[in-house]
Amino acid sequence: MGFGLAVLGSAIGLGNIWRFPYVMGEYGGAAFLLVYLLVVLIMGLPLLLGEFAAGYHTHADGVGAYEKITPERPWRWAGWPGVAAAVVILMYYPVVTAWVAQYLWLALTGDMSVPAGAAQDARFVALTHDGLAVLLAQAIVLCVATGIVAAGVVSGIERTCKVLMPLFAVLLVGLAIYGLSLPGAQQGVDFMFHADWSAVLRPETWLVALGQALFTVGIGMGVMVTYGAYLPDSHALPRIGFTVIAGDTFVGLLACLIIFPAVFSLGLAPAQGPGLAFVILPEVFERMPGGNVAAVAFFLLLLIAALASMVSLLEVPIAVLMSRHGWRRLPAALLTGSVAFLISLPVALGEGTAWLQLDGMPTLLDLADRFASYVLLPLSALAIALVVGWRWQEKAACDAAGVQGIRARRLWWTSVRWLVPVLLVIVLVSGLVTA
Ligand code: PFF
């Protein structure tokens, strides 16, 4: 149970509350949801089990595990795209976490309310453009996250997640019920459940859904390998894998049920990009009775969820430094935390300063996010599927993944060996070519 909750704590984060709704808003609502569900079940679950299995079997980190399974080149390098993805995600994850911290501060100081209308929009722009404040918030959240990883992950994370995840779910359900009670909410629900089928035919939708699935569950960054290495017994892995995917998707859906009804009841557009949650949620809190208390609770929990995810992200390079280069945990954590601060500076400032933005170009945050989610993570997933499915023995892999029963073993093995790599190549190539 502790293991499952720790994995869930890593999975649930900004990907669910911040990323899922805005990506869904941009890629056609229900059609995207359907594609996402297919992708996460058909590709995400087998890959997640593959990562767990590699960690459980080798007791190594996200790079070393594949080297142990297959020492030959180029297969032994299969873990590196995941480290690259973790580093690129660390370029912007702390920045968005810093925004959450800033909103928490606003809520705590009772400064959430703004004159009606599009003002929350203006507030978001002003807040993200205040480079110094963002940097300060970013330094604080990174210090906290670095402190947690420096102290050692397992017990701290497990304990925190046990308390927080249920609390988080209760709050989300409450807010979703409130969101649904807003006037005009029906349009938001319609948007979520009425599919624009043409989106299903666009290869780009599939690539975006794949990137979202890998990002939000946390597949392809070596994190699940590291976690798998901690388990004493692999029997429960398939059940845990399925529960984590279901729980993570449930949280993403709840976030949408809060955000889309509110978007429509405020007369705003659902395709707003990365600012969506930050513009809509404060507006919801402003309107509801006792909104300020709810705002404090919500941003606090979101901050903690984001921190727990960031901790597991930092753990990827730290584990590599420790096991490959013999570093001790404290210096490894300090170096990784400092590097994360430095590499996220351009994104933090790029959101706010004109000199880092070219006309008509996406912001640095958008670029980093797209590169990580739609290129590095799918490549990393492909490398994992190929090593597990083609460089490992069927029996050893199925045992390590804890898959039982002849049919289930066949199904999983055929998936990682054939289905997942073939689908990954099709989705990646067609998506990139058409996007
Ligand atoms: N899954 C996290 C989220 O949805 O916010 C992000 C993340 C955390 C990705 C940890 C990868 C990871 F290793």
Side-chain angles (χ1 to χ4, degrees):
M1 170 135 165
F3 173 83
L5 283 169
V7 174
L8 206 56
S10 163
I12 294 176
L14 298 172
N16 308 69
I17 316 282
W18 161 71
R19 201 174 191 283
F20 194 59
Y22 89 74
V23 171
M24 184 165 155
E26 281 179 2
Y27 287 89
F32 178 82
L33 187 60
L34 180 80
V35 174
Y36 171 81
L37 290 176
L38 286 175
V39 165
V40 84
L41 276 179
I42 295 175
M43 296 198 246
L45 187 56
L47 283 164
L48 179 60
L49 281 181
E51 273 202 46
F52 279 157
Y56 175 78
H57 184 79
T58 59
H59 287 285
D61 60 279
V63 171
Y66 302 106
E67 289 173 351
K68 283 196 180 168
I69 291 174
T70 172
E72 287 108 71
R73 282 178 282 186
W75 305 103
R76 56 182 287 124
W77 297 323
W80 287 107
V83 177
V87 170
V88 175
I89 293 175
L90 276 173
M91 290 173 68
Y92 63 91
Y93 210 88
V95 179
V96 184
T97 309
W99 297 347
V100 175
Q102 286 174 284
Y103 271 98
L104 174 63
W105 178 251
L106 288 182
L108 277 173
T109 51
D111 199 13
M112 288 294 276
S113 56
V114 282
Q120 287 291 357
D121 214 347
R123 141 98 45 140
F124 176 68
V125 172
L127 191 132
T128 52
H129 280 52
D130 185 351
L132 220 56
V134 177
L135 286 190
L136 182 67
Q138 191 184 327
I140 294 172
V141 294
L142 268 168
C143 280
V144 175
T146 307
I148 299 174
V149 255
V153 206
V154 182
S155 61
I157 288 207
E158 263 189 36
R159 228 170 287 144
T160 326
C161 294
K162 259 185 206 161
V163 181
L164 285 174
M165 288 304 136
L167 203 63
F168 195 59
V170 168
L171 203 72
L172 278 179
V173 172
L175 281 173
I177 293 173
Y178 179 79
L180 289 172
S181 73
L182 290 172
Q186 187 58 38
Q187 258 179 297
V189 179
D190 289 349
F191 173 77
M192 274 184 72
F193 295 106
H194 276 283
D196 162 17
W197 295 114
S198 65
V200 177
L201 299 176
R202 296 212 326 262
E204 201 185 332
T205 310
W206 290 82
L207 180 59
V208 171
L210 173 68
Q212 171 63 24
L214 299 174
F215 182 94
T216 185
V217 181
I219 301 167
M221 275 155 282
V223 173
M224 298 307 166
V225 178
T226 316
Y227 279 14
Y230 287 124
L231 258 199
D233 174 8
S234 71
H235 275 77
L237 282 178
R239 192 164 32 89
I240 295 176
F242 184 79
T243 313
V244 166
I245 285 185
D248 186 74
T249 303
F250 177 67
V251 172
L253 281 177
L254 278 180
C256 292
L257 274 179
I258 301 171
I259 288 175
F260 289 121
V263 165
F264 285 92
S265 84
L266 299 170
L268 298 170
Q272 292 214 356
L276 183 67
F278 290 102
V279 173
I280 302 304
L281 287 172
E283 192 80 53
V284 172
F285 292 128
E286 209 192 328
R287 290 179 165 213
M288 63 194 277
N292 219 54
V293 178
V296 172
F298 180 81
F299 284 116
L300 183 64
L301 285 180
L302 184 54
L303 182 63
I304 293 166
L307 278 172
S309 295
M310 202 152 79
V311 162
S312 60
L313 214 49
L314 288 168
E315 181 68 11
V316 179
I318 292 175
V320 171
L321 282 175
M322 284 168 58
S323 62
R324 299 180 67 86
H325 303 289
W327 284 52
R328 278 180 302 117
R329 178 165 279 278
L330 183 63
L334 287 178
L335 179 74
T336 310
S338 317
V339 170
F341 183 71
L342 288 179
I343 60 177
S344 53
L345 279 182
V347 170
L349 298 174
E351 283 300 295
T353 32
W355 56 271
L356 274 173
Q357 270 175 23
L358 301 174
D359 270 348
M361 284 284 287
T363 61
L364 280 179
L365 187 153
D366 244 336
L367 282 179
D369 181 46
R370 284 174 201 213
F371 184 57
S373 307
Y374 308 143
V375 180
L376 289 176
L377 288 182
L379 280 180
S380 169
L382 183 62
I384 293 167
L386 289 178
V387 168
V388 172
W390 291 90
R391 311 295 304 172
W392 206 359
Q393 305 307 324
E394 178 174 352
K395 179 168 180 334
C398 289
D399 285 346
V403 188
Q404 279 146 7
I406 295 177
R407 274 219 205 122
R409 285 165 89 94
R410 270 280 88 178
L411 183 66
W412 179 68
W413 186 246
T414 319
S415 299
V416 265
R417 193 169 156 90
W418 291 104
L419 189 65
V420 173
V422 169
L423 288 178
L424 277 171
V425 170
I426 296 175
V427 169
L428 186 60
V429 173
S430 62
L432 287 180
V433 167
T434 57

